[in-house]
Amino acid sequence: GTNAISFGTAVEFEAGNTQFINTVYDSNVDRTAIFYLDSGDSDKGKGIVGTVTAGTNAIAFGTASSFHADTTANIAAAFEPDTNKILVCYDDRAGGNTGEAKVATVTGGTTNSIAYGSATAWISNGGTPSNISMDYDTTLNKFVTSFTDEGNSNYASAVVGTISGTSVSFGATHAFDTN
């Protein structure tokens, strides 16, 4: 057999410079959500919904919306199939370098939009969380967010989060690599 892959035409979803791009598939609405820092708009954190057309490898985008209106960095996101929500974690650079999170709800159909819940801090010791990564544990129904805790000697750390409605709550931060 032949192993081959084909790609469609690249489509620009943001005309300005972007950073910290994170893509999540929402199986509930069959859409892809892209979260990113928009360097051309004061480093705001934004999200946009993409619709992939089967058979053509084409993608079309809705309108971008801000999940954080101030300087944002180190964005990570993951989908929870039990509630059909996405959790977006990021570094709030304007708010004292706190780690914050918002629950995102993607609407498909002709809307292709994202609604966000309120921000919840998951680290607020004044340290800049960097290298943020996250995943969803389908057995325990919890998000695990790992990061470098620059406010705690750059220790590798993790925190567990649970979504309820459009809110998220977090347990205590745990440093797992203190060497």
Side-chain angles (χ1 to χ4, degrees), residues 9-175:
T9 303
V11 177
E12 183 177 272
F13 66 87
E14 176 60 54
N17 292 331
T18 58
Q19 295 180 47
F20 307 112
I21 299 169
N22 198 285
T23 304
V24 179
Y25 176 69
D26 184 330
S27 58
N28 180 54
V29 292
D30 192 27
R31 299 290 191 270
T32 298
I34 301 174
F35 301 95
Y36 61 98
L37 175 150
D38 184 353
S39 299
D41 190 12
S42 303
D43 294 338
K44 292 178 182 173
K46 292 187 178 180
I48 193 166
V49 178
T51 306
V52 175
T53 304
T56 64
N57 289 342
I59 189 167
F61 293 101
T63 302
S65 61
S66 294
F67 63 84
H68 187 63
D70 289 314
T71 304
T72 309
N74 298 300
I75 301 164
F79 177 70
E80 180 181 350
D82 301 310
T83 62
N84 297 315
K85 305 288 184 191
I86 296 172
L87 184 63
V88 182
C89 289
Y90 55 94
D91 173 9
D92 175 7
R93 290 283 171 99
N97 293 324
T98 58
E100 291 185 349
K102 286 189 177 180
V103 176
T105 306
V106 174
T107 302
T110 58
T111 306
N112 286 330
S113 62
I114 305 173
Y116 302 100
S118 298
T120 301
W122 49 270
I123 182 174
S124 58
N125 64 3
T128 303
S130 60
N131 304 311
I132 300 170
S133 179
M134 63 187 308
D135 205 354
Y136 181 72
D137 182 330
T138 57
T139 302
L140 298 176
N141 301 325
K142 306 280 184 191
F143 288 92
V144 178
T145 302
S146 60
F147 59 99
T148 301
D149 187 349
E150 294 180 9
N152 188 19
S153 302
N154 289 321
Y155 290 158
S157 301
V159 65
V160 176
T162 306
I163 286 180
S164 177
T166 59
S167 299
V168 60
S169 59
F170 290 95
T173 300
H174 176 74

